[in-house]
Amino acid sequence: MAQQKTSEACGISIGSVKIITSEGSKAPLDPETEGPKFTSPRKTFKRIKFATDIDDFDQEVVQRTVHEYYDKGEFPTSLKFLSKFQEKTDYKGSKTSMWRILKSLKFRYKKCNDGRRFLMERNDIVAMRVRFLRQMVNLRKNNDVRPVVYLDETWVNQNHTRNYIWQNSEGKEGFKVPTGKGGRIIICHAGSSSFGFVNNSKLVFRCKSGPTEDYHSHMNSVIFKDWFIQMLNNLEEPCVIVMDNAPYHSGLVDNYPKSNEKKINVQKWLQEKGVQFSPLETLPELRERVKEVNTTRKKI
């Protein structure tokens, strides 16, 4: 009788109610609710879109390729750009997929006064680039004697890792780029025109590709922060450091508990913040307290 009333109230079949009741009788008890603990169904697998979900290293190649066209006084079309990008990488996507990548990187075709359509970046991105160039010009005008250190990351396809970083007869470091298929070798380094590469600051590690992950998953803010601190310790004098805005160059400081966080972890976070709460408060009540004190910010 109770199962029939539950079926009518919830709008589901009596068979579904019986299945849930059977699972509840076999499920372990939850110490928080003192009731049966159910497991959520498996989430739908998200298929990776290999033609459009490119990693950050390939995204930088896309941006540099667009800028190369304008540096030469040429105007890129989607077809010309696709051909050029395929020469630089092993990209197998179509022209439509390439256009979607350009849109995700905030490129748009805009019509000018003469009716021609030009591939242009979003206005705020252009403004940030102009501010950077203006600041560099001011440093040179003011005769700033500090060396300018540029840092960046790149990757190459893995073939042979031996002698990847080498030194020539003058003792200066350089790169021997391997070719071939397989995983990728990620390289992170810093250097200046004043003294060359920063000593003992190269970061080279190998990552393997898989069907469910991209190369970006191997390069994150934790790895970059550790390398960056090591690089700073190897600088012998005050320098001006230039870096781009890659996603792993910043991270959330004091990250707040997410919606799927366990109750005990939410309580611990609130205690660290000095927030008073009752042990009898439920998880939804604790989440409301998190919203009141949540202050997330990014730190480079």
Side-chain angles (χ1 to χ4, degrees), residues 32 256-294:
E32 297 181 1
Y256 63 93
K258 300 298 188 295
S259 59
N260 60 346
E261 195 67 68
K262 293 182 179 180
K263 182 178 179 180
I264 188 173
N265 294 333
V266 178
Q267 291 175 330
K268 181 179 179 181
W269 188 87
L270 291 173
Q271 289 174 349
E272 293 175 350
K273 290 294 183 181
V275 179
Q276 299 295 328
F277 60 88
S278 171
L280 301 178
E281 290 189 51
T282 62
L283 184 57
E285 291 176 307
L286 295 175
R287 287 173 180 163
E288 291 301 315
R289 290 187 177 274
V290 170
K291 292 180 181 179
E292 296 175 359
V293 298
N294 176 29

Side-chain angles (χ1 to χ4, degrees), residues 19 51 60 85-86 91 95 121 158 170 184 213 232 244 296:
I19 292 174
E60 292 180 5
F85 185 68
Q86 288 175 336
Y91 183 71
K95 185 177 79 169
E121 283 183 295
Q158 175 192 342
E170 298 177 355
R184 286 183 177 180
E213 61 179 347
L232 291 178
D244 58 13
T296 58

Side-chain angles (χ1 to χ4, degrees), residues 166-189:
W166 58 277
Q167 290 186 342
N168 60 17
S169 58
E170 298 177 355
K172 295 182 178 180
E173 292 182 336
F175 296 102
K176 287 184 178 180
V177 180
T179 59
K181 298 181 179 180
R184 286 183 177 180
I185 297 176
I186 296 180
I187 310 156
C188 189
H189 217 325

